[in-house]
């Protein structure tokens, strides 16, 4: 059996948990010649859906039996199965517990019933404090079943690994379908998170990348004494072998001053703020069913930089949202220009099945959206390059991740750079440095958002 993963870091955690379960069920993972290929699909945006379908089709071309799991399978279920006969089975989250048995059925040619989607927000109590016990009866991907059990198998040996702290989302953003197929927000028990973090550290992980659909909500469904993210971070940072803890996906409207301080001031927690701004025009944000505006967002940015002037701040933005005017776009340009973020993703709006925005008036044509993506994208490229240039002459701490083709150099990431999306550091004259080393470096140049650095001293190996 082989396992292919598409989408975000949350899916990567799900795949490693599935690998652990399948191993316990007698299945062996192989790179080539698999009888069954499991594809952990992504169903967030149209391009991700297309990539998932293409991967499923390519896997079927190998002659293996193909099984679709993950977000697209959960979201569309039988509809996907009917339109894609190449897939031997389309399974939802509630079938993860007995996935090994279902793969046995597929391998032996037995008919496997396709998943029938439901709105997963209806499966747990509305009140967050009543959800923890209810998760025993509802499969929540990435949510374990006890404070010490780790049911996960690493699928690579990278020195950084995602660690899921929660699943689902209670927000009702008009453009987003994720809550309908990921379900209501559920925090993992802090002891469970710490146990998995310790296991990761024992397996060579130096950086823990905390992931969820909304990290700022962590702990709201737990007893007060178990605490929020502010109390979890020091526990994770104190684990032997862990050199860096990174938090992802913070909601600006929920980011309290105490959380900003905890991230900025806790030793070994990266000064990195992944803020989900999405836009800065108050008019657009209200249509998105979100809160904030340019000035309140700028105030948050200044608050972060008061605590940590060199902190990395990144975000994603949607342009071309229904009803977005030229004034709205100029307001976004004002925010981006004044905020000087380190990394920015720009996405053109597209309808998502079953969302409120799908039925909003004021839709913009595709050419206008593409023009706005280009316009804001060009501005962002200039601003983020300037931000990187400002770091020339400063010192950064780099986690070495791999060697360059030229073996005298290597590549890693500084605190303000998250895996895959925020640029990297090219370490010159890196003889003797190894993957997983934490190295203090001096920034000598920049290339776009990437930094060119020279090593000063090795901090940890």
């Amino acid at each position: 059996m082989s396992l292919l993963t598409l989408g975000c870091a949350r899916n990567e955690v799900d795949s490693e948990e599935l690998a652990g379960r399948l191993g316990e069920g007698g299945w062996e993972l192989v790179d080539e010649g698999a009888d069954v290929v499991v594809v952990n699909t992504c169903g967030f945006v149209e391009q991700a859906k297309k990539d998932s379908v293409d991967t499923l089709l390519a896997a079927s071309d190998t002659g293996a039996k193909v099984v679709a799991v993950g977000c697209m399978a959960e979201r569309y279920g039988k509809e996907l199965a009917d339109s894609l006969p190449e897939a031997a089975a389309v399974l939802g989250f509630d079938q993860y517990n007995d996935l090994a048995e279902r793969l046995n059925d597929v391998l032996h040619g037995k008919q496997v019933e396709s998943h029938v989607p439901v709105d997963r927000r209806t499966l747990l109590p509305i009140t967050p404090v009543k959800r923890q016990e209810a998760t025993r009866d509802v499969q929540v991907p990435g949510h374990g079943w006890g404070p010490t059990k780790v049911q996960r198998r690493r699928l690579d040996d990278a020195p950084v690994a995602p660690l899921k702290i929660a699943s689902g989302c209670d927000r009702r953003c008009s453009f987003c379908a994720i809550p309908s197929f990921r379900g209501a927000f559920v925090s993992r028990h802090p002891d469970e998170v710490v146990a998995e973090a310790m296991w990761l550290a024992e397996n060579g992980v130096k950086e823990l990348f905390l992931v969820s659909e909304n990290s700022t909500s962590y702990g709201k469904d737990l007893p007060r004494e178990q605490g929020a993210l502010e109390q979890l971070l020091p526990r994770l940072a104190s684990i032997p072998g862990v050199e860096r803890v990174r938090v992802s996906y913070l909601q600006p409207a929920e980011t309290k001053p105490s959380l900003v301080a905890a991230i900025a001031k806790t030793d070994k927690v990266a000064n990195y703020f992944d803020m989900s701004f999405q836009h800065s025009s108050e008019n657009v944000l209200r249509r998105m069913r979100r809160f904030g505006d340019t000035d309140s967002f700028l105030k948050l940015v200044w608050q972060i930089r008061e605590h940590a002037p060199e902190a990395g701040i990144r975000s994603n933005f949607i342009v071309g949202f229904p009803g977005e005017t030229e004034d709205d776009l100029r307001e976004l340009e004002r925010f981006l220009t004044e905020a000087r973020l380190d990394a920015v993703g720009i996405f053109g709006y597209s309808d998502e099945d079953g969302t409120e925005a799908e039925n909003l008036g004021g839709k913009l044509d595709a050419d206008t959206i593409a023009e706005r993506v280009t316009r804001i994208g060009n501005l962002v490229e200039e601003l983020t390059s300037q931000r990187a240039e400002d770091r020339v002459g400063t010192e950064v701490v780099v986690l070495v991740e791999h060697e360059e083709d030229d073996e005298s150099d290597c590549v890693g990431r500084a605190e303000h750079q998250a895996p895959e999306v925020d640029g990297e550091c090219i370490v010159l004259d890196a003889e003797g440095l190894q993957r997983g080393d934490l190295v203090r470096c001096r920034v000598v140049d920049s290339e776009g958002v990437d930094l060119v650095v020279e090593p000063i001293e090795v901090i940890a190996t």
Side-chain angles (χ1 to χ4, degrees), residues 255-448:
T255 302
K256 299 176 293 185
S258 60
L259 178 57
V260 173
I263 293 174
K265 300 300 183 182
T266 303
D267 186 38
K268 294 190 176 182
V269 174
N271 282 324
Y272 174 82
F273 294 80
D274 177 15
M275 308 301 306
S276 176
F277 289 122
Q278 302 300 346
H279 211 284
S280 75
S281 163
E282 185 175 11
N283 293 330
V284 174
L285 287 167
R286 294 304 172 270
R287 290 171 69 83
M288 289 179 169
R289 295 207 178 277
R290 295 176 66 85
F291 302 96
D293 56 31
T294 296
D295 291 332
S296 67
F297 288 170
L298 286 173
K299 183 178 178 180
L300 178 56
V301 169
W302 306 149
Q303 181 186 18
I304 290 169
R305 290 189 173 140
E306 283 177 7
H307 283 287
E310 299 302 322
I313 307 176
R314 71 104 57 219
S315 191
N316 294 324
F317 297 86
I318 299 172
V319 297
F321 194 79
E324 182 189 65
T325 67
E326 182 64 29
D327 286 344
D328 294 326
L329 204 64
R330 281 195 289 268
E331 190 69 0
L332 177 57
E333 289 174 326
R334 179 169 80 89
F335 171 72
L336 291 167
T337 301
E338 295 186 31
R340 296 180 61 79
L341 306 179
D342 292 86
V344 177
I346 300 297
F347 300 91
Y349 171 80
S350 62
D351 287 335
E352 274 295 302
D353 297 339
T355 61
E356 180 184 348
E358 188 180 19
N359 299 311
L360 287 178
K363 295 285 179 65
L364 304 180
D365 62 73
D367 289 343
T368 299
I369 293 174
E371 178 184 314
R372 292 184 178 187
V373 169
T374 299
R375 170 178 162 181
I376 300 299
N378 288 339
L379 174 63
V380 160
E381 184 176 358
E382 178 182 355
L383 292 171
T384 53
S385 293
Q386 289 173 0
R387 177 71 175 160
E389 288 175 11
D390 291 342
R391 294 185 183 274
V392 174
T394 66
E395 292 184 4
V396 294
V397 177
V398 176
L399 177 66
V400 176
E401 293 190 327
H402 59 85
E403 295 179 350
E404 280 280 59
D405 294 334
D406 178 355
E407 293 185 2
S408 65
D409 298 340
C410 64
V411 174
R413 289 176 298 102
E415 280 190 63
H416 69 283
Q417 297 168 321
E420 299 182 3
V421 294
D422 295 340
E424 59 190 15
C425 290
I426 301 168
V427 186
L428 304 177
D429 302 323
E431 292 88 347
L433 296 183
Q434 298 180 348
R435 193 181 197 192
D437 287 349
L438 206 66
V439 187
R440 187 179 307 281
C441 300
R442 180 174 292 104
V443 182
V444 296
D445 199 0
S446 65
E447 300 174 359

Side-chain angles (χ1 to χ4, degrees), residues 167-178:
S167 195
C169 185
D170 287 341
R171 300 182 71 89
R172 295 294 182 266
C173 301
S174 63
F175 57 84
C176 183
I178 288 176

Side-chain angles (χ1 to χ4, degrees), residues 15 68 71 94 123 138 143 221 249 317 322 364 416:
S15 284
C71 291
D94 290 329
L123 300 181
V138 175
H143 196 286
D221 52 335
Y249 215 79
F317 297 86
L364 304 180
H416 69 283

Side-chain angles (χ1 to χ4, degrees), residues 57-71:
L57 292 173
S60 72
D61 288 342
T62 67
K65 295 181 184 294
V66 178
V67 175
V69 299
C71 291

Side-chain angles (χ1 to χ4, degrees), residues 169-247:
C169 185
D170 287 341
R171 300 182 71 89
R172 295 294 182 266
C173 301
S174 63
F175 57 84
C176 183
I178 288 176
S180 66
F181 58 86
R182 277 287 181 178
F185 182 89
V186 182
S187 302
R188 294 182 70 189
H189 191 286
D191 290 348
E192 182 182 305
V193 176
V194 170
E196 186 166 320
M198 294 175 66
W199 177 83
L200 288 169
E202 291 167 358
N203 282 272
V205 172
K206 299 294 183 66
E207 178 178 319
L208 303 173
F209 186 31
L210 308 189
V211 298
S212 72
E213 279 74 26
N214 178 7
S215 297
T216 34
S217 283
Y218 180 79
K220 74 175 187 179
D221 52 335
L222 297 171
R224 184 181 298 271
E225 63 271 16
Q226 291 182 4
L229 193 54
E230 291 95 315
Q231 284 129 308
L232 177 63
L233 290 174
R235 293 186 64 185
L236 296 173
S238 67
I239 293 172
V242 171
E243 300 297 338
R244 182 183 287 167
V245 179
R246 183 182 303 278
V247 183

